[in-house]
Amino acid sequence: SFGSFFINEKQTRTVSVVNQGDFNFDFIWKRPASRYVTISPESGTCKKGTKVEFELTYLPIAEHKLKNYKATFSIISGPSYEFKLEGESRKPGIKLNYNKVDFGPCFVMRQPMPKIITLEMRNEDDTAITIESIFEKKAHMDIQFAPGQVLLPFRDNGEVLKVPIIFTPREIMKYQENVTFDFNGIYKMDIPLIGEGIPMILELTKPEDQILD
């Protein structure tokens, strides 16, 4: 069994075959096609008195369940041995309070006034998860995120990681950026950041007050 693990994690099991006979034998692995399972070597010769080691690798790049997958090691003109492979891959159990951060319309002022929205992350998995952010600071957008963050399971200590995102529009225009969060170095999540700079228009409550002596 490969067990349960995160997607893009490589799981490998080693199988050793020893030839204790008096003759060499040829072998071949027979198995269903799978883009996530590889066996190396898949065929060859095991010389007498030697050992051949095989690597059975499971590397899913998406959520996947490997169940009742049968790989057969066959000795040419000899016996066959069946292996049942099982495993399951999953995304890191990170929950966010926003899948998109929308600042909406914000006034462009001579003295810039930033608007802050806090992105919250919670680890609902059963193991600690490391988090890195991939974002280049801009004059209009910044993210307060220290590198090398480790988020423990929420059920253990109720920890929530708070990430302030700061929007300071400098021009009258629509803004769109993306921040990428990397979990355990194997899974990435993109969060769109949008906002709009709008002009500040002041209107008098009484139009007759627009002319002053």
Side-chain angles (χ1 to χ4, degrees):
S1 172
F2 292 105
S4 177
F5 55 94
F6 295 130
I7 62 173
N8 291 319
E9 280 190 316
K10 182 178 179 180
Q11 298 292 317
T12 300
R13 300 292 183 268
T14 301
V15 174
S16 299
V17 174
V18 178
N19 183 357
Q20 295 179 331
D22 296 325
F23 304 97
N24 302 342
F25 65 76
D26 297 326
F27 62 83
I28 187 170
W29 284 91
K30 298 177 181 179
R31 61 189 180 88
S34 173
R35 57 179 175 164
Y36 297 147
V37 177
T38 59
I39 299 177
S40 179
E42 290 219 37
S43 61
T45 300
C46 184
K47 296 181 179 181
K48 64 177 183 178
T50 65
K51 177 175 70 174
V52 177
E53 290 192 340
F54 302 92
E55 282 196 351
L56 284 63
T57 301
Y58 180 38
L59 179 56
I61 58 174
E63 289 184 303
H64 185 259
K65 194 167 188 176
L66 187 69
K67 190 174 182 180
N68 293 325
Y69 183 90
K70 296 178 181 178
T72 303
F73 176 77
S74 297
I75 296 174
I76 305 302
S77 300
S80 296
Y81 304 90
E82 186 176 88
F83 295 80
K84 184 188 291 185
L85 309 183
E86 293 185 347
E88 182 177 4
S89 63
R90 68 186 191 280
K91 295 178 182 177
I94 289 287
K95 298 296 182 183
L96 308 181
N97 61 337
Y98 296 109
N99 292 322
K100 177 176 71 173
V101 178
D102 187 350
F103 290 91
C106 299
F107 292 122
V108 177
M109 306 180 67
R110 185 171 300 174
Q111 294 295 328
M113 292 187 62
K115 182 176 181 179
I116 301 175
I117 292 180
T118 300
L119 181 68
E120 295 183 356
M121 300 183 184
R122 190 169 68 187
N123 178 4
E124 295 190 350
D125 219 301
D126 54 6
T127 60
I129 294 176
T130 61
I131 309 173
E132 297 285 353
S133 69
I134 303 172
F135 184 80
E136 184 177 343
K137 180 179 178 180
K138 310 284 195 307
H140 58 271
M141 194 78 73
D142 190 19
I143 295 176
Q144 301 294 310
F145 189 91
Q149 296 279 356
V150 177
L151 188 57
L152 299 176
F154 180 79
R155 68 183 183 184
D156 291 346
N157 62 0
E159 181 181 4
V160 174
L161 179 61
K162 297 184 178 182
V163 184
I165 301 177
I166 305 168
F167 176 52
T168 311
R170 309 284 178 168
E171 300 179 48
I172 299 170
M173 60 177 288
K174 291 183 177 180
Y175 293 88
Q176 181 165 350
E177 302 289 346
N178 278 287
V179 57
T180 299
F181 291 102
D182 188 323
F183 303 101
N184 283 352
I186 56 173
Y187 178 71
K188 292 182 172 63
M189 181 183 295
D190 292 328
I191 305 295
L193 313 174
I194 62 175
E196 182 178 3
I198 61 173
M200 174 174 282
I201 300 176
L202 300 178
E203 294 184 355
L204 296 174
T205 304
K206 297 179 180 180
E208 60 269 21
D209 290 341
Q210 63 183 318
I211 299 177
L212 300 175
D213 291 332

